[in-house]
Each structure stands twice: as C-alpha cells, then as structure tokens.
Amino acid sequence: QSLCVHLNYPLYIRSVPTQGELKFHYTVHTSLDVVEEKISGVGKALADQRELYLGLLYPTEDYKVYGYVTNSKVKFVIVVDSSNTSLRDNEIRSMFRKLHNSFTDVMCNPFYNPGDPIQSKAFDSIVSTMMVQAC
C-alpha cells in the first residue's frame, strides 16, 4: 500500500489487494497524525535537511506503517504486511527515495496541476514495481 499526501489531502493511494481498501485508508489517515507528531518533534538541526525519513510510524498486529516527508511537506506513507520480515529499513528508505524521485518527475510535468490527484502511468508503474518487489 502506498500513499502520497500534500496538506493532508491524498494525491495518490494504491492498495493491493483491493479488498479491505477502506481499512487501509483508515490506517494511512491515522498515520498522518503520527507523521505530524514526528515532524513537530524534530529539532531545528534536522529541519534543514532536504528530506526526512521518519522510519516506522507504528506497527499494528497486521501491518507496519512507515513515513517520509519531503522538504516541501509532501508526505509519503508505505504500509507493509507485518509478516514480511524480508524488508529491511534501508530497503524501505530506498523505496521512499524512488517514490520521491518519481513524484518529482510528476511535478515537473507541465500538464500536471499541483494538488490534483496523481494519474501518471509512469508513477503508477514505479509504485506497482515496488509493490511486487515487496511481496
């Protein structure tokens, strides 16, 4: 599951499998509160960084929720199955970097209106590839 959010408004949500998608929406929106708490708790020394990997936001019985924030306050959330023990922290960080780079490509498209939902096939392809690799 993947989410891209700006100003707490989702720009992109992708869930596999699609059944129980509403549950993931709730989990992701709940995680935004944790993201806000972590951002406000970050010291001034870290506020100057270009990007901010927040790491594990919180684990549930079924899922682990990870967060990432760009310097322009765009939030990325990735939810993975708790039973997936093959994903390490550096791999999650790498996934966020790929998402961020692809998001930057979307923003550079002159036909994209910032704030609109992301409907880029290239962005969707990268997310799909990451989801296959994470399974």
Side-chain angles (χ1 to χ4, degrees):
Q1 294 68 39
S2 182
L3 171 78
C4 177
V5 176
H6 182 64
L7 300 173
N8 291 339
Y9 177 78
L11 300 177
Y12 181 89
I13 297 178
R14 178 79 186 269
S15 175
V16 174
T18 55
Q19 71 250 22
E21 192 169 326
L22 186 60
K23 179 179 168 182
F24 291 118
H25 285 250
Y26 175 75
T27 301
V28 167
H29 281 84
T30 303
S31 68
L32 292 177
D33 293 336
V34 179
V35 169
E36 291 297 327
E37 286 175 22
K38 286 198 173 210
I39 291 173
S40 64
V42 172
K44 289 183 181 178
L46 292 178
D48 294 333
Q49 288 185 348
R50 294 177 49 90
E51 58 194 41
L52 192 58
Y53 173 64
L54 300 174
L56 182 66
L57 298 177
Y58 66 89
T60 67
E61 187 174 312
D62 301 321
Y63 308 104
K64 292 179 184 172
V65 182
Y66 295 90
Y68 178 97
V69 179
T70 68
N71 61 339
S72 59
K73 304 297 183 235
V74 175
K75 302 165 189 96
F76 295 96
V77 175
I78 294 177
V79 181
V80 297
D81 196 323
S82 287
S83 65
N84 187 345
T85 58
S86 64
L87 282 175
R88 303 284 182 239
D89 199 54
N90 61 338
E91 292 164 328
I92 298 289
R93 187 184 299 262
S94 174
M95 290 169 70
F96 278 122
R97 274 195 294 270
K98 285 180 188 175
L99 273 176
H100 189 181
N101 288 338
S102 184
F103 177 76
T104 302
D105 291 343
V106 170
M107 292 296 113
C108 290
N109 181 344
F111 299 106
Y112 177 75
N113 185 18
D116 286 353
I118 296 173
Q119 298 176 340
S120 165
K121 290 181 182 178
F123 187 82
D124 199 50
S125 174
I126 287 175
V127 170
S128 295
T129 302
M130 286 191 309
M131 292 174 101
V132 168
Q133 291 172 350
C135 291

